PDB file of all heavy atoms in Angstrom:
ATOM      1  N   LEU A 242      -8.747 -13.730  11.880  1.00 88.00           N
ATOM      2  CA  LEU A 242      -7.445 -14.360  12.180  1.00 88.00           C
ATOM      3  C   LEU A 242      -6.484 -13.402  12.879  1.00 88.00           C
ATOM      4  O   LEU A 242      -5.808 -13.807  13.844  1.00 88.00           O
ATOM      5  CB  LEU A 242      -6.858 -14.870  10.850  1.00 88.00           C
ATOM      6  CG  LEU A 242      -5.845 -15.981  10.953  1.00 88.00           C
ATOM      7  CD1 LEU A 242      -6.431 -17.144  11.666  1.00 88.00           C
ATOM      8  CD2 LEU A 242      -5.414 -16.353   9.553  1.00 88.00           C
ATOM      9  N   THR A 243      -6.393 -12.181  12.400  1.00 89.00           N
ATOM     10  CA  THR A 243      -5.410 -11.220  12.927  1.00 89.00           C
ATOM     11  C   THR A 243      -5.671 -10.928  14.411  1.00 89.00           C
ATOM     12  O   THR A 243      -4.745 -11.079  15.229  1.00 89.00           O
ATOM     13  CB  THR A 243      -5.389  -9.930  12.098  1.00 89.00           C
ATOM     14  OG1 THR A 243      -5.406 -10.301  10.716  1.00 89.00           O
ATOM     15  CG2 THR A 243      -4.188  -9.126  12.394  1.00 89.00           C
ATOM     16  N   PRO A 244      -6.886 -10.485  14.788  1.00 89.00           N
ATOM     17  CA  PRO A 244      -7.093 -10.277  16.214  1.00 89.00           C
ATOM     18  C   PRO A 244      -6.986 -11.562  17.041  1.00 89.00           C
ATOM     19  O   PRO A 244      -6.559 -11.509  18.195  1.00 89.00           O
ATOM     20  CB  PRO A 244      -8.527  -9.698  16.310  1.00 89.00           C
ATOM     21  CG  PRO A 244      -9.084  -9.766  14.949  1.00 89.00           C
ATOM     22  CD  PRO A 244      -8.028 -10.092  13.975  1.00 89.00           C
ATOM     23  N   ASP A 245      -7.312 -12.673  16.452  1.00 88.00           N
ATOM     24  CA  ASP A 245      -7.264 -13.930  17.165  1.00 88.00           C
ATOM     25  C   ASP A 245      -5.823 -14.314  17.518  1.00 88.00           C
ATOM     26  O   ASP A 245      -5.544 -14.728  18.643  1.00 88.00           O
ATOM     27  CB  ASP A 245      -7.915 -15.058  16.344  1.00 88.00           C
ATOM     28  CG  ASP A 245      -7.958 -16.376  17.068  1.00 88.00           C
ATOM     29  OD1 ASP A 245      -8.509 -16.378  18.208  1.00 88.00           O
ATOM     30  OD2 ASP A 245      -7.456 -17.359  16.563  1.00 88.00           O
ATOM     31  N   LEU A 246      -4.915 -14.178  16.543  1.00 86.00           N
ATOM     32  CA  LEU A 246      -3.563 -14.621  16.763  1.00 86.00           C
ATOM     33  C   LEU A 246      -2.662 -13.519  17.337  1.00 86.00           C
ATOM     34  O   LEU A 246      -1.734 -13.800  18.079  1.00 86.00           O
ATOM     35  CB  LEU A 246      -2.967 -15.164  15.446  1.00 86.00           C
ATOM     36  CG  LEU A 246      -3.480 -16.501  14.988  1.00 86.00           C
ATOM     37  CD1 LEU A 246      -2.894 -16.865  13.644  1.00 86.00           C
ATOM     38  CD2 LEU A 246      -3.191 -17.588  15.993  1.00 86.00           C
ATOM     39  N   LEU A 247      -2.868 -12.274  16.928  1.00 86.00           N
ATOM     40  CA  LEU A 247      -1.973 -11.205  17.338  1.00 86.00           C
ATOM     41  C   LEU A 247      -2.503 -10.434  18.543  1.00 86.00           C
ATOM     42  O   LEU A 247      -1.752  -9.759  19.220  1.00 86.00           O
ATOM     43  CB  LEU A 247      -1.718 -10.234  16.178  1.00 86.00           C
ATOM     44  CG  LEU A 247      -1.098 -10.763  14.909  1.00 86.00           C
ATOM     45  CD1 LEU A 247      -0.974  -9.671  13.878  1.00 86.00           C
ATOM     46  CD2 LEU A 247       0.258 -11.383  15.213  1.00 86.00           C
ATOM     47  N   GLY A 248      -3.799 -10.493  18.766  1.00 82.00           N
ATOM     48  CA  GLY A 248      -4.418  -9.659  19.800  1.00 82.00           C
ATOM     49  C   GLY A 248      -4.412 -10.298  21.161  1.00 82.00           C
ATOM     50  O   GLY A 248      -4.225 -11.505  21.291  1.00 82.00           O
ATOM     51  N   GLY A 249      -4.620  -9.479  22.158  1.00 80.00           N
ATOM     52  CA  GLY A 249      -4.756  -9.962  23.521  1.00 80.00           C
ATOM     53  C   GLY A 249      -6.215 -10.089  23.891  1.00 80.00           C
ATOM     54  O   GLY A 249      -7.101  -9.952  23.034  1.00 80.00           O
ATOM     55  N   PRO A 250      -6.494 -10.311  25.181  1.00 81.00           N
ATOM     56  CA  PRO A 250      -7.869 -10.468  25.617  1.00 81.00           C
ATOM     57  C   PRO A 250      -8.733  -9.226  25.356  1.00 81.00           C
ATOM     58  O   PRO A 250      -9.961  -9.355  25.171  1.00 81.00           O
ATOM     59  CB  PRO A 250      -7.777 -10.771  27.118  1.00 81.00           C
ATOM     60  CG  PRO A 250      -6.341 -10.649  27.479  1.00 81.00           C
ATOM     61  CD  PRO A 250      -5.536 -10.535  26.250  1.00 81.00           C
ATOM     62  N   ASP A 251      -8.117  -8.058  25.333  1.00 82.00           N
ATOM     63  CA  ASP A 251      -8.933  -6.837  25.148  1.00 82.00           C
ATOM     64  C   ASP A 251      -8.939  -6.369  23.687  1.00 82.00           C
ATOM     65  O   ASP A 251      -9.397  -5.291  23.392  1.00 82.00           O
ATOM     66  CB  ASP A 251      -8.453  -5.731  26.080  1.00 82.00           C
ATOM     67  CG  ASP A 251      -7.071  -5.282  25.708  1.00 82.00           C
ATOM     68  OD1 ASP A 251      -6.272  -6.111  25.228  1.00 82.00           O
ATOM     69  OD2 ASP A 251      -6.759  -4.083  25.878  1.00 82.00           O
ATOM     70  N   SER A 252      -8.383  -7.169  22.770  1.00 81.00           N
ATOM     71  CA  SER A 252      -8.410  -6.688  21.380  1.00 81.00           C
ATOM     72  C   SER A 252      -9.261  -7.573  20.501  1.00 81.00           C
ATOM     73  O   SER A 252      -8.959  -7.787  19.338  1.00 81.00           O
ATOM     74  CB  SER A 252      -6.991  -6.553  20.822  1.00 81.00           C
ATOM     75  OG  SER A 252      -6.125  -7.467  21.417  1.00 81.00           O
ATOM     76  N   GLN A 253     -10.330  -8.119  21.063  1.00 85.00           N
ATOM     77  CA  GLN A 253     -11.209  -8.937  20.227  1.00 85.00           C
ATOM     78  C   GLN A 253     -12.042  -8.042  19.303  1.00 85.00           C
ATOM     79  O   GLN A 253     -12.380  -6.921  19.655  1.00 85.00           O
ATOM     80  CB  GLN A 253     -12.234  -9.663  21.063  1.00 85.00           C
ATOM     81  CG  GLN A 253     -11.685 -10.502  22.159  1.00 85.00           C
ATOM     82  CD  GLN A 253     -12.823 -11.021  23.019  1.00 85.00           C
ATOM     83  OE1 GLN A 253     -13.755 -11.649  22.502  1.00 85.00           O
ATOM     84  NE2 GLN A 253     -12.766 -10.727  24.272  1.00 85.00           N
ATOM     85  N   MET A 254     -12.332  -8.590  18.158  1.00 88.00           N
ATOM     86  CA  MET A 254     -13.203  -7.884  17.215  1.00 88.00           C
ATOM     87  C   MET A 254     -14.499  -8.705  17.038  1.00 88.00           C
ATOM     88  O   MET A 254     -14.620  -9.764  17.589  1.00 88.00           O
ATOM     89  CB  MET A 254     -12.479  -7.601  15.927  1.00 88.00           C
ATOM     90  CG  MET A 254     -11.379  -6.551  16.126  1.00 88.00           C
ATOM     91  SD  MET A 254     -10.321  -6.317  14.721  1.00 88.00           S
ATOM     92  CE  MET A 254     -11.420  -5.453  13.596  1.00 88.00           C
TER      93      MET A 254
END
Side-chain angles (χ1 to χ4, degrees):
Chain A
L242 203 56
T243 316
D245 184 55
L246 287 177
L247 300 179
D251 66 328
S252 30
Q253 306 173 55
M254 290 173 71

